[in-house]
Amino acid sequence: MSTLLKVQGVHTFYGSIEALKGVDLEVGTGEIVTLIGANGAGKSTLLMTICGNPHPRGGRIYFEGEDITGRPTYEIIRRGIAQSPEGRRIFPRMTVLENLQMGSITARPGSFDTELERVLTLFPRLKERIGQRAGTMSGGEQQMLAIGRALMSQPKMLLLDEPSLGLAPLVVKQIFEVVKEINREQKMTIFMVEQNAYHALKLAHRAYVMVTGRITMSGTGAQLLADPEVRAAYLEGGH
Amino acid sequence: MTALPLSRSRGIQWSAVLREAGLTAFVAFLLTVPLVGLRTVDRPTGLTIDARFDEVLVAVFLVFIGRLGLGLIREGQALLVLVLALLATGVGIVAPLPTQVLEVILVGGGLVIAIRATVTLVTNRSTLSQAERDKRMDVVAAKVQHASRWLAPIGIGFALIFPFLPFADRHLIDIGILLLTYIMLGWGLNIVVGLAGLLDLGYVAFYAVGAYSYALLATIFGWSFWVCLPLAGLFAALSGVLLGFPVLRLRGDYFAIVTLGFGEIIRIVLLNWYEFTGGPNGIIGIPRPTFFGIADFTRTPTDGMPAFHELFGLPFSSLQRIIFLYYVILVLALIVNVFTLRVRKLPLGRAWEALREDDIASASLGINRTNAKLAAFAIAAMFGGFAGSFFATRQGFISPESFTFIESAIILAIVVLGGMGSQLGVVIATFLVIGLPEVFRELEQYRMLAFGAGMVLIMLWRPRGLLAHRDPTVTLGGARKAPSGPGSAAAGGVS
């Protein structure tokens, strides 16, 4: 398996506060990799740093072997990284279809119809709601839309920032099943940041644990799931 | 509102209604004392102040009655109030009143209350909550917006034949030109404010750049209007890019303040660069446009060009040039309109709307925010420049006086009142903001008061603008063809 994304010793600052203190991480082609950690550990910061906003102050980021450190966001996205941002950030006053169309704004010409078909098969619920204003949908549907929108650009890699945030357990399960399906059917590489450690670890091929800006542990999903330290910190308490 | 059935069964709650009316009268008293009660009079001994407390009393009394009427409508006495309000309107029109203010209050207030009473009688609307009311208004707005499909061709058709209608005299055509100029400016600014969501308070700067570009090119080099028009647009667009580069990193309020400053900078440069722009004296003798360089509109052209009336075998009339100017601005305005309609379906327009909705999400979709915003700025500036050079050629004289902040504010008011992003809204708002003050010129100094009252009413009834309803740019049936093909090809250019 070739490495698709490589993060090497990345330091990111917000002003004088060091949010990432030298992060190393790799995502291979076709993998589901998840990053778990508590609130404020720097998980979302890492995702955003990969996308070039903010830029890291130290370290390098490689995508498909090419150095993308310091490149502008739109260029990084156009290289084939799609993001479902934290808090979903769909366009609430636009219809579902318009939202999906926005996702295809950087896609190859002529790909819209096939991609739309694929996304709507993946999320039949979105097909039902196609003409509805996105802001009037439930949280779960909005999350589906955010993922669908990201897929519309035909990315090589999908970044998911806490897809389970604020959703009911049953909906979380649905979302993770679709994530698994996207990976299986489309051979999509997925890098996912999650607080919902149990579901995320069960789903992921490999996983990293982040504590205050540093990667403290890594292994296969199953390994971390069985690790007593991980269990104590992230899993005990009713998941 | 939920207490309504209760109060109805108990009869009218006089104490509550009276207290409300009293409170309103008190506010009216505070407002009318300085506005109506005091008048400066120029006497041989100097400027003195006259008190007019009888008028204050009458005004306060009328406001009290009016509020009482509104209260009674809510208490289920709409019919009675309707009769009384119509009576008041009648009195206002027929009876000789000491001042015009009283007439305005009596007629306007009576009518508003009568309308309220009628609406209550017909639909029982006063029992609805604010949210339900908003929803209803949104449905109406959506209907109007949909009606624009056939309304727009009718409107354009009317605009096309308007100069040849029997009642269209010079004065009306002049108002038509004025309205179309502001409609064009409104549509232009709508690209920045309505589509891209950037609050631009200095739009008049580009209008000024366009006007001065044409005026200077025409007076110094003697170039014709039709050569200068694209150049003026180009210069305005360049100034838009120049402004855009440093400020597009800013967001929201900060952005608005910088554009405000830019508008003022342009005006002050024009005012002080005496050798180049003529300073406060402005530029005089700006050439009038020719008939596409073929014919001239004067009776006996001096530079060897044939006269328009001779070329077409018509009797000479000074109206011919006015009508020609009218069509020029009509076509220019329609160009902006068609551009906006088309661009919304292209990746550039979609990128703008994405930016307006959510800046951060747009970035995560790979939109080059800087380029998209710059494009919005430059294109809107270009249209502003076109309108500016038209203004210069129509007036024949320009000075920095014409490009003050109030112009930017009026254009912005048109866009906001119309409902951000709504093309039809801009037209309606222009008629209200520019047209009404023209019609009510007889009201003299109360013109601006009526204008202000109108603005307040619109903001009360339609806080998001008259036609704040956004139609999706794409539906599933139509999606098959529209979005992908030309879309992505141009996306590369956008970003």
Side-chain angles (χ1 to χ4, degrees):
Chain A
M1 196 188 310
S2 62
T3 305
L4 189 62
L5 177 81
K6 189 170 181 184
V7 176
Q8 218 170 50
V10 159
H11 293 257
T12 301
F13 288 77
Y14 288 121
S16 60
I17 299 162
E18 191 174 13
L20 298 181
K21 301 165 184 168
V23 173
D24 293 293
L25 178 149
E26 268 179 39
V27 181
T29 310
E31 265 189 316
I32 301 181
V33 175
T34 187
L35 175 68
I36 60 172
N39 253 340
K43 307 185 300 291
S44 290
T45 305
L46 178 61
L47 268 204
M48 286 162 68
T49 306
I50 292 170
C51 289
N53 179 32
H55 290 305
R57 214 177 275 181
R60 309 238 63 96
I61 301 168
Y62 300 92
F63 184 67
E64 294 184 296
E66 281 179 64
D67 192 346
I68 58 166
T69 326
R71 313 299 319 167
T73 303
Y74 63 91
E75 197 192 309
I76 294 171
I77 304 283
R78 273 150 202 250
R79 279 171 189 253
I81 298 179
Q83 189 191 8
S84 158
E86 187 176 16
R88 308 187 274 265
R89 288 197 173 270
I90 50 148
F91 301 112
R93 298 202 300 157
M94 295 187 185
T95 64
V96 169
L97 185 61
E98 282 179 297
N99 267 278
L100 293 174
Q101 206 187 34
M102 289 296 175
S104 72
I105 215 160
T106 58
R108 261 188 291 118
S111 63
F112 182 77
D113 289 354
T114 46
E115 285 310 307
L116 182 67
E117 199 66 50
R118 201 189 295 197
V119 167
L120 293 183
T121 322
L122 213 51
F123 300 105
R125 186 70 71 83
L126 292 184
K127 195 167 191 171
E128 292 166 30
R129 309 262 154 151
I130 196 81
Q132 193 175 328
R133 271 165 220 271
T136 62
M137 300 199 301
S138 74
E141 290 163 346
Q142 291 188 13
Q143 184 60 55
M144 293 174 192
L145 180 56
I147 297 175
R149 186 179 66 180
L151 288 174
M152 288 300 290
S153 66
Q154 302 179 296
K156 295 173 183 136
M157 177 177 184
L158 184 62
L159 305 182
L160 300 176
D161 198 342
E162 300 218 21
S164 75
L165 193 73
L167 300 182
L170 202 67
V171 182
V172 173
K173 222 174 144 191
Q174 273 177 17
I175 297 272
F176 280 127
E177 263 160 28
V178 176
V179 170
K180 200 170 183 173
E181 199 184 321
I182 297 168
N183 173 257
R184 203 177 47 225
E185 304 290 321
Q186 306 184 19
K187 307 276 172 283
M188 180 70 67
T189 311
I190 293 168
F191 182 48
M192 180 170 70
V193 157
E194 255 302 333
Q195 281 204 59
N196 194 329
Y198 176 72
H199 276 113
L201 290 177
K202 260 183 87 175
L203 178 73
H205 301 120
R206 290 191 308 111
Y208 293 88
V209 178
M210 184 179 256
V211 178
T212 54
R214 285 195 180 86
I215 301 287
T216 55
M217 239 186 281
S218 65
T220 65
Q223 276 171 354
L224 289 186
L225 208 51
D227 187 282
E229 233 176 286
V230 174
R231 291 192 73 88
Y234 303 105
L235 298 174
E236 304 294 317
H239 277 287
Chain B
M1 293 296 157
T2 46
L4 190 71
L6 261 177
S7 65
R8 198 173 263 165
S9 63
R10 268 186 293 160
I12 301 165
Q13 288 184 315
W14 281 107
S15 64
V17 175
L18 283 174
R19 195 180 330 124
E20 211 178 83
L23 211 63
T24 316
F26 179 64
V27 174
F29 174 73
L30 291 183
L31 286 174
T32 43
V33 164
L35 284 177
V36 180
L38 303 174
R39 178 163 59 176
T40 53
V41 185
D42 201 4
R43 293 222 171 80
T45 51
L47 210 61
T48 57
I49 293 177
D50 269 8
R52 302 191 293 179
F53 286 115
D54 42 345
E55 282 164 28
V56 170
L57 279 181
V58 177
V60 168
F61 177 70
L62 287 176
V63 169
F64 178 80
I65 295 286
R67 184 73 221 191
L68 198 65
L70 287 180
L72 287 177
I73 290 175
R74 220 180 37 226
E75 298 286 332
Q77 301 292 327
L79 196 62
L80 177 72
V81 175
L82 175 62
V83 174
L84 289 175
L86 286 177
L87 205 68
T89 313
V91 169
I93 293 169
V94 178
L97 290 164
T99 61
Q100 229 170 6
V101 186
L102 291 180
E103 203 178 313
V104 170
I105 291 178
L106 218 51
V107 175
L111 274 181
V112 167
I113 292 170
I115 290 168
R116 269 301 280 276
T118 316
V119 170
T120 309
L121 280 175
V122 174
T123 63
N124 243 344
R125 209 181 68 164
S126 68
T127 57
L128 296 176
S129 70
Q130 185 65 41
E132 284 170 315
R133 233 184 273 175
D134 279 352
K135 216 178 245 171
R136 274 198 184 190
M137 291 295 265
D138 272 342
V139 173
V140 174
K143 271 188 192 149
V144 175
Q145 197 80 296
H146 289 168
S148 68
R149 272 182 212 130
W150 51 267
L151 218 63
I154 291 178
I156 293 169
F158 178 77
L160 280 173
I161 57 166
F162 168 72
F164 298 107
L165 295 177
F167 59 85
D169 55 4
R170 161 135 202 197
H171 178 62
L172 274 182
I173 297 177
D174 266 338
I175 291 187
I177 291 175
L178 186 72
L179 285 174
L180 281 170
T181 310
Y182 277 96
I183 288 173
M184 176 172 180
L185 287 169
W187 279 341
L189 182 62
N190 188 31
I191 294 171
V192 178
V193 179
L195 286 185
L198 303 165
L199 184 56
D200 182 355
L201 295 179
Y203 192 57
V204 77
F206 308 124
Y207 189 46
V209 169
Y212 271 86
S213 299
Y214 169 63
L216 289 170
L217 287 172
T219 50
I220 295 175
F221 299 110
W223 292 357
S224 108
F225 177 72
W226 300 103
V227 177
C228 296
L229 185 69
L231 284 176
L234 185 73
F235 287 147
L238 281 178
S239 67
V241 172
L242 255 150
L243 162 69
F245 259 122
V247 309
L248 286 177
R249 289 169 179 282
L250 305 174
R251 266 188 230 165
D253 309 351
Y254 305 103
F255 179 84
I257 290 168
V258 175
T259 57
L260 176 75
F262 184 72
E264 285 300 285
I265 289 171
I266 292 274
R267 189 177 64 84
I268 289 166
V269 166
L270 292 176
L271 199 60
N272 289 292
W273 196 358
Y274 194 85
E275 302 76 35
F276 188 53
T277 66
N281 300 336
I283 300 174
I284 50 164
I286 301 168
R288 303 303 192 141
T290 56
F291 186 72
F292 304 112
I294 301 169
D296 198 274
F297 285 100
T298 46
R299 190 184 288 273
T300 47
T302 46
D303 51 358
M305 214 179 267
F308 178 79
H309 62 284
E310 281 168 3
L311 195 70
F312 287 86
L314 299 165
F316 176 78
S317 157
S318 62
L319 205 59
Q320 281 158 2
R321 176 164 59 213
I322 310 287
I323 293 176
F324 179 67
L325 282 171
Y326 174 87
Y327 280 117
V328 169
I329 188 67
L330 180 62
V331 168
L332 284 174
L334 287 179
I335 288 172
V336 185
N337 188 337
V338 170
F339 172 83
T340 311
L341 284 180
R342 297 297 310 157
V343 82
R344 272 191 73 197
K345 296 194 167 67
L346 298 178
L348 178 59
R350 286 195 275 135
W352 287 342
E353 293 210 61
L355 279 173
R356 179 193 64 201
E357 295 295 314
D358 192 326
D359 202 64
I360 293 167
S362 317
S364 80
L365 294 178
I367 292 169
N368 183 340
R369 291 181 288 180
T370 316
N371 283 6
K373 286 179 184 176
L374 267 184
F377 237 73
I379 290 170
M382 180 183 74
F383 289 137
F386 287 160
S389 49
F390 173 81
F391 175 76
T393 194
R394 180 178 97 101
Q395 299 288 91
F397 162 75
I398 52 169
S399 77
E401 290 268 291
S402 311
F403 308 105
T404 51
F405 171 67
I406 190 72
E407 289 296 316
S408 290
I410 286 176
I411 303 165
L412 188 66
I414 287 172
V415 175
V416 173
L417 287 180
M420 305 256 252
S422 166
Q423 306 251 70
L424 189 61
V426 165
V427 177
I428 296 174
T430 308
F431 273 83
L432 288 176
V433 173
I434 307 295
L436 277 189
E438 286 299 320
V439 173
F440 287 120
R441 270 202 184 276
E442 296 89 64
L443 283 180
E444 290 167 25
Q445 66 261 51
Y446 297 113
R447 199 155 70 102
M448 289 322 276
L449 192 69
F451 172 70
M455 297 270 260
V456 170
L457 285 181
I458 291 175
M459 283 297 109
L460 276 177
W461 286 334
R462 298 285 300 156
R464 289 189 293 124
L466 288 169
L467 291 182
H469 171 83
R470 187 184 164 279
D471 254 348
T473 52
V474 57
T475 50
L476 198 51
R480 293 282 147 234
K481 281 181 183 166
S484 55
S488 320
V494 175
S495 359

